[in-house]
Amino acid sequence: MPRATTRTRRGVAALAIAGAATLLGQAVVPAAPAAAAAGCAGAQHDFNGDGIRDTVIADPEATVSGKERAGQIHIVYGGDKGTFLLSQDSPDVSDAAEQGDQFGFSYAVYDANLDGCSDIAVGIPFEDVGTVKDAGLVHLIHGSTAGVTGGGLGTVGFRQGSDGKLAGGYEAEDWVGYAVAAGRSATNIPFLVIGAPGEDGGEGKDMGMFHYVYGIGYDVAHVAQDSTGVWEDPEPNDRFGASIAATDRHFVVGAPGESTATSSGNREFAGGVVAFRPSINTYGIPDPLFGMGQGRTGTGDTTAQTDDQYGAALAMAPYRPAGATSNTDSLLAVGVPGEDLATTVDAGAVHTYHIKADGTVTPLRWIDQNQPGVEGEAEPGDFFGRRLAAANTSPSAPGTAATMRLAVGVPGEESTEEFPEEGGVQILPLLGDPGTGDSWIAPGDGIPAAVRAPRTLLGLGLGASPTALYVGVPYGPAGNRAVHAFPWTTPNGGAPTRTWRPGEAGIPAENAAFGALLS
């Protein structure tokens, strides 16, 4: 989690979600991975195996069993089949809810044991291990035809230490599970990427690393920036592993604290990203493809500035180029929320890239709110790009500007002086001119808002599926807390097609940051 830097930050930067608390119990031993479970349909994002997509809504700041900020996740089963409240106090989940854990700070959905039902890997980066504060943990919780935790498969715990599954001794503020992402490789091997951006090393504090869990036996590889073939060298405060995004063909790991040397001096927290292929290479790690810092060409660092935090947010979508018969490529969006545009401090920007099947990368676009045709105008403290979501809305056809879509969170946006940091979400094409086919939603302008208010910070909760963009409203007036699903083609101020609220449709009314993460 990035710490304060030399630049004075406004409201959003002060929103760092930190935590404390817990004594880690032994993980429940899982049953042997199933080749296929009877009744599991094999659909994506389907925990109970009925073939209908389920919805995940995280509230990592929720109070659980009287423990503040213990965190919980709402699983909303598709087809109006009810909800399930998942926490460390849930049946068949090891450990227990404790103050400050922030269960659900990150999560990834995938079929880890290839039984046809989706599973969920939940990041708990502020979990204490014994007396070691914020060492971090990831719980892998299995789905089944009886729903989440209903199949008796137990949970698998991933943490560092001699009695854990991950390499290295646990240390204070390793933040294992700060970011997670998952997928299934081209050879049908499930994989999970676990970020530990607070990992220390010989070069100093918070260099960061990630753990790569692959196969139904949960084999683990461990990658840092001094691993063979990985771009750049580890340095203090790189925070490698603070952000992760994946498709089935590629994954990308952010190092938003990466320093960049320029002719006029060292730019701290300029940021960087490193891309990998899911396949394990001869060195026993996922195959590194390339790394890069900021530059409008995608290869140079000439525009890197102190505290840009290039790579603080990432989003990827599978891409089928013209002439291909499947989604062999990936499109990548990299957020640069601290980007200054001339004298407009922390306006923010986004870079987009095409990662090809051969592992090479081509830069596509630089996007900011001052681009021709793009809705809005860049202002100080907008933090455009602080959160990102991307989708391919037609994965069985070649991708186009109409089907490859990107949502950009702008949590510092203010429509009037009366509502500072009210926030908003920009929806743009992931291919082609960003000013064509873009739209804007905000509180009272597409987002139903009974009471508009300052510091709603809309744009901090984003999620994506091929059929919908999910926008959470985790902050601001309690009466506005909700998750809204929008068509990717929604016009300016367009209405959501579905809404989930605390206290409705079986969702408990008590909440703290309902919709901080969602999918």
Side-chain angles (χ1 to χ4, degrees):
M1 179 178 62
R3 293 182 178 136
T5 60
T6 54
R7 182 182 297 178
T8 301
R9 309 293 284 174
R10 292 182 45 183
V12 174
L15 194 75
I17 300 177
T22 79
L23 179 64
L24 179 64
Q26 292 295 314
V28 177
V29 177
C40 283
Q44 292 185 347
H45 223 280
D46 175 18
F47 299 104
N48 59 356
D50 62 358
I52 304 173
R53 192 183 194 279
D54 303 323
T55 303
V56 181
I57 302 172
D59 186 346
E61 299 182 48
T63 297
V64 177
S65 302
K67 310 297 195 311
E68 293 183 355
R69 299 167 74 86
Q72 62 190 18
I73 291 176
H74 305 272
I75 306 293
V76 183
Y77 293 117
D80 297 320
K81 294 181 180 178
T83 63
F84 182 78
L85 187 60
L86 179 63
S87 75
Q88 287 183 284
D89 277 356
S90 296
D92 213 22
V93 176
S94 63
D95 202 20
E98 293 149 325
Q99 182 176 342
D101 280 353
Q102 296 198 51
F103 177 92
F105 186 88
S106 66
Y107 71 80
V109 176
Y110 73 125
D111 186 0
N113 56 1
L114 298 182
D115 69 351
C117 285
S118 295
D119 310 307
I120 184 167
V122 181
I124 321 167
F126 307 114
E127 175 89 27
D128 295 353
V129 177
T131 60
V132 180
K133 182 179 174 61
D134 298 346
L137 165 71
V138 171
H139 271 318
L140 174 60
I141 302 162
H142 294 94
S144 71
T145 53
V148 177
T149 78
L153 297 176
T155 61
V156 181
F158 296 102
R159 64 171 173 80
Q160 294 173 318
S162 59
D163 55 348
K165 294 182 179 296
L166 308 182
Y170 47 80
E171 302 166 314
E173 298 181 342
D174 276 348
W175 304 316
V176 170
Y178 189 90
V180 295
R184 188 186 298 183
S185 74
T187 54
N188 204 40
I189 297 175
F191 66 87
L192 171 67
V193 190
I194 300 173
E199 179 72 24
D200 300 340
E203 291 79 3
K205 285 183 61 62
D206 297 343
M207 297 182 309
M209 69 176 300
F210 71 84
H211 303 278
Y212 185 72
V213 181
Y214 60 99
I216 60 176
Y218 309 128
D219 296 316
V220 182
H222 316 281
V223 183
Q225 285 185 283
D226 57 2
S227 298
T228 302
V230 177
W231 179 75
E232 283 289 2
D233 295 319
E235 300 168 313
N237 300 318
D238 279 349
R239 274 71 177 232
F240 183 59
S243 57
I244 308 169
T247 67
D248 289 343
R249 300 289 181 163
H250 310 96
F251 68 90
V252 174
V253 179
E258 182 77 42
S259 297
T260 297
T262 70
S263 59
S264 55
N266 198 42
R267 307 301 189 200
E268 296 182 350
F269 285 83
V273 301
V274 186
F276 298 82
R277 203 189 309 274
S279 55
I280 298 294
N281 65 14
T282 56
Y283 296 103
I285 65 172
D287 194 23
L289 297 177
F290 61 85
M292 57 189 178
Q294 186 173 200
R296 295 199 184 199
T297 65
T299 56
D301 290 319
T302 55
T303 62
Q305 300 168 329
T306 296
D307 206 28
D308 278 349
Q309 295 190 51
Y310 172 93
L314 301 170
M316 295 179 73
Y319 175 55
R320 177 177 169 181
T325 58
S326 64
N327 293 311
T328 56
D329 298 14
S330 304
L331 297 188
L332 166 69
V334 179
V336 198
E339 176 72 29
D340 297 346
L341 301 178
T343 60
T344 307
V345 176
D346 295 336
V350 174
H351 292 270
T352 59
Y353 305 92
H354 176 191
I355 305 177
K356 299 179 181 179
D358 64 3
T360 60
V361 62
T362 299
L364 296 176
R365 296 284 179 168
W366 163 284
I367 306 172
D368 64 52
Q369 287 184 295
N370 285 344
Q371 295 295 301
V374 173
E375 292 287 335
E377 180 181 352
E379 300 167 315
D382 277 352
F383 297 97
F384 180 89
R386 186 63 187 88
R387 293 285 190 272
L388 300 170
N392 181 342
T393 65
S394 186
S396 61
T400 67
T403 63
M404 304 301 303
R405 306 296 290 171
L406 173 67
V408 180
V410 196
E413 180 78 26
E414 50 192 64
S415 56
T416 68
E417 292 184 2
E418 183 182 2
F419 302 120
E421 295 174 347
E422 187 177 39
V425 177
Q426 196 109 25
I427 307 171
L428 304 131
L430 193 50
L431 282 174
D433 185 348
T436 61
D438 72 316
S439 57
W440 174 259
I441 54 178
D445 188 13
I447 297 291
V451 181
R452 293 182 64 190
R455 286 170 287 283
T456 297
L457 302 171
L458 189 77
L460 285 183
L462 292 179
S465 78
T467 58
L469 165 66
Y470 301 95
V471 179
V473 190
Y475 305 107
N480 292 347
R481 303 281 172 83
V483 168
H484 306 284
F486 290 87
W488 280 101
T489 55
T490 193
N492 283 335
T497 55
R498 181 157 184 183
T499 294
W500 297 269
R501 297 182 186 278
E504 298 179 2
I507 299 173
E510 189 172 337
N511 72 94
F514 181 83
L517 283 85
L518 56 157
S519 62

